[in-house]
Amino acid sequence: MAESRFVLVPLLSFILILSLPFMAEPAIGVNWGTLSFHRLSPTTVVDLFKQNKIQKVKLFEADPDALKALMGSGIQVMVGIPNEMLFLLSSSTQASDLWVRQNVSAYTVKGGVDIRYVAVGNEPFLSSYSGQYVSYVMPALLNLQQSLARANLANFVKLVVPCNADAYESSLPSQGAFRPELTQIMTQLVSFLNSNGSPFVVNIYPFLSLYGNSDFPQDYAFFEGTTHASYRWIKCLLQCI
């Protein structure tokens, strides 16, 4: 049997999902990525999810093999759309209709995949992208929302835009704001999310902070402590967004 190109990457990111206007309960899930030297078959990955009682997973792209393996598993799924697809989806309702039909409607059947969210891009506002994807985000969201509505899925599948923490500026969230160049797009995004009952999603990587700074508190990086100032910073961030 040919080796699958999938791999389970446990705790690759700490995904904080915030409901607007109220905060939802944070959840620790796993990302299912494709970059690894030790790739597992999709069915093996899903078996590992079940054995470890993992109930939420994010796919970075809507790969048919992964989605087929998740059918009937009861695992809640966030399906990702790569940043490179945002231009096409922002410029064509036919493209958004086709994407929804092939990657959502085809799997949200009885005994199918429990798709809860579609991630429109992955951290498209990251400063290192120099605004490359900013102008595509809202048009892509609007087209995809219409496509979900036409497929009678808008009440069940919610669109989100995972953001990196670098979209936020200031050492204290209560005294800061989003980066100035993102003010307009963030205002539009938050309005869209609120109107459609979608959460605001932030990816944070405390273990990478530990890797880059030996003084970073280890118990916080591994989700074991609640007393460090860094934990209080994140709690404040969640309360202020």
Side-chain angles (χ1 to χ4, degrees):
M1 180 181 295
E3 184 181 46
S4 169
R5 61 189 186 90
F6 292 98
V7 62
L8 171 65
V9 185
L11 296 179
L12 184 60
S13 68
F14 184 28
I15 303 175
L16 299 172
I17 300 180
L18 312 181
S19 288
L20 297 174
F22 302 106
M23 185 176 73
E25 180 182 357
I28 298 178
V30 298
N31 290 341
W32 188 349
T34 59
L35 301 177
S36 175
F37 294 109
H38 305 286
R39 296 169 181 169
L40 304 176
S41 71
T43 54
T44 299
V45 172
V46 173
D47 286 341
L48 286 172
F49 289 155
K50 293 178 179 178
Q51 292 169 17
N52 290 279
K53 296 181 173 56
I54 292 170
Q55 299 177 341
K56 302 176 188 292
V57 63
K58 174 184 175 181
L59 302 176
F60 285 95
E61 56 185 335
D63 189 278
D65 291 334
L67 288 167
K68 288 176 183 176
L70 286 162
M71 294 185 74
S73 67
I75 296 171
Q76 297 178 14
V77 178
M78 177 185 290
V79 179
I81 296 176
N83 291 332
E84 293 75 18
M85 290 190 65
L86 294 180
F87 171 73
L88 175 62
L89 294 172
S90 70
S91 59
S92 170
T93 55
Q94 290 182 333
S96 63
D97 284 348
L98 179 62
W99 192 93
V100 168
R101 185 164 59 251
Q102 291 182 337
N103 301 300
V104 183
S105 299
Y107 298 99
T108 51
V109 296
K110 186 176 181 179
V113 183
D114 186 6
I115 298 176
R116 299 293 183 94
Y117 302 101
V118 170
V120 182
N122 185 51
E123 303 181 354
F125 307 130
L126 200 65
S127 57
S128 60
Y129 292 145
S130 302
Q132 179 180 354
Y133 303 109
V134 170
S135 63
Y136 306 143
V137 172
M138 287 309 304
L141 278 172
L142 294 172
N143 284 347
L144 286 163
Q145 184 66 29
Q146 293 175 16
S147 297
L148 287 173
R150 283 191 285 270
N152 296 316
L153 291 171
N155 291 329
F156 309 102
V157 180
K158 299 300 179 179
L159 300 176
V160 299
V161 179
C163 296
N164 188 281
D166 86 338
Y168 193 78
E169 195 173 70
S170 178
S171 58
L172 291 176
S174 60
Q175 298 176 5
F178 292 110
R179 298 200 318 265
E181 69 271 22
L182 297 179
T183 299
Q184 181 177 3
I185 184 67
M186 282 299 186
T187 300
Q188 295 171 347
L189 173 59
V190 170
S191 177
F192 172 89
L193 297 175
N194 189 49
S195 297
N196 292 284
S198 298
F200 185 91
V201 177
V202 181
N203 296 340
I204 61 172
Y205 308 89
F207 54 92
L208 292 183
S209 298
L210 175 63
Y211 180 78
N213 180 5
S214 60
D215 294 327
F216 195 83
Q218 292 191 25
D219 58 350
Y220 169 69
F222 293 103
F223 314 113
E224 295 174 348
T226 60
T227 59
H228 281 288
S230 51
Y231 176 86
R232 294 194 297 271
W233 190 96
I234 294 299
K235 184 177 180 181
C236 183
L237 172 62
L238 299 183
Q239 292 173 339
C240 294
I241 288 180

